[in-house]
Amino acid sequence: MSIDTKFIGKTYPAYTYEVGKEKIKEYAKAIKNLDPHYLDDDFAKKSKYGAIIAPPTFAVVIGAYLIEPVFLDKDLNLNMPMIVHGEQELEFLEVIKAGDSITSSARIIAIQNKEKLDVIAIEVKSTNQRGHEVCRGIYTFVARK
């Protein structure tokens, strides 16, 4: 059964993520990026940012909190064992720092029904506590039929 295209434009409740420096450090180590901006408190404090900053791809940690409600949306009736990650596009607009409060929202922007699969694209926009947009992402998933 195909994913109904009537869900294009559907939005999901905003989620606010409190960015902790230890989480940034764990993430940086996990992706093997040992840049002192991400790991060294003293270096980071003296940098132009004045604090530990997150690697740009840290935005996917935040985005994941918005994708989960889409996967659990009973209206979409997704067959989770048949879902695979297609691709993601991220646009980084402002540095994320330890101590930031990032509020993100998600919206289904496309559903394509094809013969043997459906493609669903979800846009996630994230804004910091100062109202500055920090990241826009498009997460694309493929649902095999």
Side-chain angles (χ1 to χ4, degrees), residues 9 56 71 86 99 104-105 137:
F71 286 163
S104 301
S105 59

Side-chain angles (χ1 to χ4, degrees), residues 60-135:
V60 298
V61 172
I62 299 167
Y65 285 91
L66 277 293
I67 299 303
E68 184 179 334
V70 176
F71 286 163
L72 298 177
D73 185 337
K74 294 194 182 310
D75 291 338
L76 293 177
N77 196 27
L78 299 176
N79 184 0
M80 286 309 296
M82 301 303 282
I83 300 286
V84 295
H85 183 246
E87 64 180 16
Q88 63 192 34
E89 301 172 29
L90 297 170
E91 183 177 4
F92 307 107
L93 305 168
E94 189 164 315
V95 169
I96 296 174
K97 297 179 184 180
D100 277 355
S101 178
I102 307 295
T103 300
S104 301
S105 59
R107 179 174 64 101
I108 296 173
I109 59 169
I111 297 171
Q112 296 176 313
N113 302 126
K114 300 185 177 186
E115 184 179 338
K116 294 185 178 181
L117 54 87
D118 293 332
V119 179
I120 182 168
I122 301 139
E123 178 185 62
V124 175
K125 291 184 177 182
S126 299
T127 305
N128 66 20
Q129 70 278 8
R130 293 176 294 282
H132 300 161
E133 193 172 11
V134 295
C135 184

Side-chain angles (χ1 to χ4, degrees), residues 22-88:
E22 296 307 324
K23 188 69 170 185
I24 291 173
K25 291 177 181 182
E26 291 169 6
Y27 181 82
K29 289 177 183 175
I31 64 169
K32 301 185 183 335
N33 188 332
L34 305 180
D35 185 315
H37 287 93
Y38 312 140
L39 298 169
D40 186 324
D41 291 313
D42 293 332
F43 178 89
K45 190 178 289 183
K46 294 174 188 167
S47 74
K48 69 179 182 181
Y49 305 109
I52 292 285
I53 62 170
T57 55
F58 186 80
V60 298
V61 172
I62 299 167
Y65 285 91
L66 277 293
I67 299 303
E68 184 179 334
V70 176
F71 286 163
L72 298 177
D73 185 337
K74 294 194 182 310
D75 291 338
L76 293 177
N77 196 27
L78 299 176
N79 184 0
M80 286 309 296
M82 301 303 282
I83 300 286
V84 295
H85 183 246
E87 64 180 16
Q88 63 192 34

